[in-house]
Amino acid sequence: MKNRLKVLRAMRDWSQQDLADRLEVSRQSVNAIETGRYDPSLPLAFRIADVFEMPIEEIFERD
Amino acid sequence: MKNRLKVLRAMRDWSQQDLADRLEVSRQSVNAIETGRYDPSLPLAFRIADVFEMPIEEIFERD
DNA sequence: TCTTGATGTAAAGTGTGTTTGTCATGATTC
DNA sequence: GAATCATGACAAACACACTTTACATCAAGA
């Protein structure tokens, strides 16, 4: 899966730590997801969608 | 997370095995997801959305 | 009644998601 | 040039997703 986390984060001028705090996960998780080392769980994907106020499909893409 | 798999499957008259075949996972995985024992991975959630031709948000719900 | 299909569940194993802790690097600032 | 911040990465440990095999129950039909 590809994702637009880095761009969406940049648009809001949030650091990885800022986003991690909002998602209540570790900064390393945000980094790993952004750099494509692994995909988030479904519950975390929903929280990401909540934080960015967008549907999951607009944040993640099949690759 | 809650999900509408069982209903969506019933609407198409598919058995758990039918759905498992389309998703290329085991029937036990379908059953476990339906009965709420665990949530699918994000890639599997996307495949489920593909099979039912609906957005993920219309199949799964925060609980 | 015997069988067959659909479903729920369990144990054991593999792989992935997530955490904490740590280190390295580049950019910024004092 | 020392300090700080943002980022990328790795390792160990643990939790969860998923598979295979297997067994039990129930309903429907022959």
Side-chain angles (χ1 to χ4, degrees):
Chain A
M1 313 241 30
K2 290 180 178 175
N3 71 74
R4 305 204 298 129
L5 278 200
K6 193 167 188 164
V7 173
L8 295 172
R9 195 166 56 75
M11 287 170 61
R12 288 158 181 77
D13 197 26
W14 291 346
S15 68
Q16 290 182 346
Q17 185 63 63
D18 291 334
L19 177 55
D21 290 344
R22 288 169 203 264
L23 295 172
E24 297 181 294
V25 295
S26 66
R27 181 186 69 83
Q28 284 81 348
S29 287
V30 170
N31 183 274
I33 293 166
E34 274 193 12
T35 57
R37 284 207 297 288
Y38 53 72
D39 298 319
S41 66
L42 186 59
L44 179 50
F46 266 88
R47 274 184 278 152
I48 293 171
D50 286 343
V51 163
F52 289 120
E53 298 179 299
M54 311 174 67
I56 289 180
E57 280 86 352
E58 287 183 23
I59 302 175
F60 298 91
E61 275 180 18
R62 303 144 182 87
D63 58 3
Chain B
M1 315 243 23
K2 290 181 180 177
N3 72 73
R4 304 205 297 130
L5 279 200
K6 194 167 187 164
V7 173
L8 294 172
R9 194 167 57 73
M11 288 169 62
R12 287 158 182 78
D13 197 25
W14 292 345
S15 67
Q16 291 182 343
Q17 185 63 63
D18 291 333
L19 177 55
D21 290 344
R22 288 170 203 263
L23 295 172
E24 296 182 295
V25 295
S26 66
R27 179 184 70 81
Q28 285 78 354
S29 287
V30 170
N31 183 274
I33 293 166
E34 274 193 13
T35 57
R37 283 207 297 288
Y38 54 73
D39 297 319
S41 65
L42 185 59
L44 180 50
F46 266 88
R47 275 185 277 150
I48 292 171
D50 286 343
V51 162
F52 288 121
E53 297 179 301
M54 309 175 69
I56 290 179
E57 279 86 353
E58 287 184 24
I59 302 174
F60 298 91
E61 274 180 21
R62 303 142 182 86
D63 58 1

